[in-house]
Amino acid sequence: MAKNTNVTYKGIPASPGISIGPVFVYIKQEVIVPSHQVMDTDGEVKRLDNALSTARAQITDLFSKAETEVGGEEAAIFEAHALFLQDPTLITAVHELIEGQGLNAEAAWMGAIEDNAVKLEALEDEYFSARSADIRDVGHRVLRILLGVAESDLTALTVPSIILARNLTPSDTIRLDKSLVLGFITAEGGPTSHTAILAKALGLPAVVGLGKEILTLENETPLLVDGERGEIVAHPDEATRQEFEARHQKAAVRAEAESKVAHEPAITQDGHTFEIVANIGSPQEASFALEQGAEGIGLLRTEFLYIDRNTAPDEEEQLAAYDEIMDVMEGRPVVVRTLDVGGDKELPYLNLGHEANPFLGWRAIRMCLDQPDFFKIQLRALLRASPGHDLRIMFPMIATLDEVRRARTLFEEARDEVEAAGHPIADQIQVGIMVEVPSVVVLADLFAREVDFFSIGTNDLTQYTMAAERTNEKVAHLSDACHPAILRQIKRILEAAHVEGIWVGLCGELAGDPDAVPILIGLGLDEFSMAPSSIPHAKAIIRNWSLVQAQQLAALVIDLDSAAAVRECVRGYSPYKPT
Ligand code: PEP
Ligand code: MG
């Protein structure tokens, strides 16, 4: 039977780029969990503990392999797996199931794993629901060891292919011969799933959340993947293939040329320089950011220190992590955001409680101000990491001036404590705030008098302006930060800040959005902070515009009436068309 040509599927863009090739369908072998009663409960506990040690040893190997092959974030996932296998609460719970109820090790173990995974999934937060896949992954590793079942792997992959799976876990992909992978597509997952992280680290396109239908594709089906548009075309006809191939070629040539000059500054045609820095979420990413041409760190998300564990990190542990990043950055500016969890991102040791509207709830600076002793641990660690570096600190989710003042008071108290303990502190530490709540935009002139800088968080600012939760795909159409309602707020913030002589950065996804970059130049943004892999292209865009042209563009788009109209206008106006 003749196949339909150009069958198109839409998913969520997870990593940009275009690839063309046959699909490799990766279906994991389902392992059935046996459940029965055991007499020798001591022997069963020992069997479980042996399996846990074997799993830990395997994960240590996978960690080293990940570190040398793909680095940073991928390796960090195995670190989280190792931590999970050492979790005393989990292990005690499983021991109790074996000893108390006489359950076999496999059933007790998988019961506890499922329990944990379901709790994480219920958190309605992309990051944490993605972590439930990690927990199941590590759970299945131990199960396979207990059952003596070989690990399913991707060794059958022998020709360059696009990997299709329901969902991909770090254990699935670590044994992959990366030179044979052209891209990833998955039925499940969101933009922060493991597939997205891995694809970005490897510089390969990925589309996730394509739905179950995609799993009906047969092995070797010819496929086109556009990671930027989140589009898949199966059985493309010759014309479509040629169109993708031409785009692919163009993008590859462009990326190579841009990476060659990624370490040069971003200077417009008429000689204005813009600062381009990186958003990172762990110390491992700092060197990658430098490789990509980052001139500093514009946003260090410190949540990595607090999640995937059972107790809060102490001052020394935090200090070591901050020192590591500062050392890599060698005096370049490093903007560290204080803890931004709470509500939607539950930490077991913080007792945050359940909330009906977690994004509007007790999170970030609100939670930190209510727990000053807990908050000051982070502030002291940061102050101690400051000597010899350009450390800047910013507070997330600020809504009122009172919050800024209270945060600053705690910062001063922490400074006194560090000094009293005899530790040196840098003379100059800038203190700023994230602008992500509309109340701050409205009163931007007042806030500008009380801080050293603003960093605009357009991800949250858009969510709160549009009243559209950022993790809900049903309202995703409302969440385009190119909307004039957001652009006008950025303009207002910049004007208020510049009157007071303070600088403004932007660290939401908008900073690395090719359509937004010229608008932001025109509006007068001082610092662009983005995912490291977006830096070379953003710098290239800036170099193709003059400030005057960008200002004309910004004046035009600010009066338009929708995000779509703004994007259309930029694309038509642009002296530089992103491919
Ligand atoms: C933002 O809200 O734009 C931001 C950068 O912070 P996060 O995405 O971590 O909430
Ligand atoms: Mg935010």
Side-chain angles (χ1 to χ4, degrees), residues 468-533:
E469 203 185 293
R470 59 194 265 194
T471 56
N472 183 344
E473 70 274 9
K474 294 195 196 85
V475 292
H477 62 285
L478 294 168
S479 302
D480 189 338
C482 262
H483 197 285
I486 308 301
L487 300 179
R488 288 191 191 194
Q489 292 187 70
I490 296 172
K491 182 168 185 271
R492 186 185 176 102
I493 296 159
L494 282 159
E495 285 167 358
H498 291 162
V499 166
E500 292 301 327
I502 66 167
W503 63 271
V504 181
L506 195 154
C507 59
E509 295 307 306
L510 192 72
D513 181 330
D515 289 342
V517 170
I519 302 173
L520 296 171
I521 304 174
L523 290 173
L525 185 70
D526 302 297
E527 178 234 50
F528 292 67
S529 191
M530 61 192 73
S533 54

Side-chain angles (χ1 to χ4, degrees), residues 301 337 340 363 396-397 434 436 457 459-461 470:
R301 293 183 164 103
R337 178 177 73 186
D340 188 10
R363 51 174 298 204
M397 283 294 296
M434 296 272 302
E436 39 191 0
N459 306 341
D460 276 318
L461 185 61
R470 59 194 265 194

Side-chain angles (χ1 to χ4, degrees), residues 273-342:
T273 305
F274 288 86
E275 191 181 353
I276 311 295
V277 292
N279 293 348
I280 61 169
S282 68
Q284 294 84 352
E285 286 168 76
S287 338
F288 179 60
L290 280 186
E291 280 163 30
Q292 296 295 305
E295 295 155 8
I297 301 299
L299 167 64
L300 167 64
R301 293 183 164 103
T302 55
E303 292 73 61
F304 74 94
L305 281 162
Y306 294 81
I307 55 179
D308 281 330
R309 53 191 297 155
N310 293 316
T311 52
D314 64 16
E315 195 173 311
E316 300 304 320
E317 183 183 341
Q318 295 202 36
L319 174 63
Y322 302 140
D323 275 345
E324 196 181 331
I325 294 168
M326 303 291 174
D327 287 347
V328 172
M329 296 315 291
E330 292 180 322
R332 295 175 182 87
V334 176
V335 181
V336 181
R337 178 177 73 186
T338 60
L339 183 62
D340 188 10
V341 287

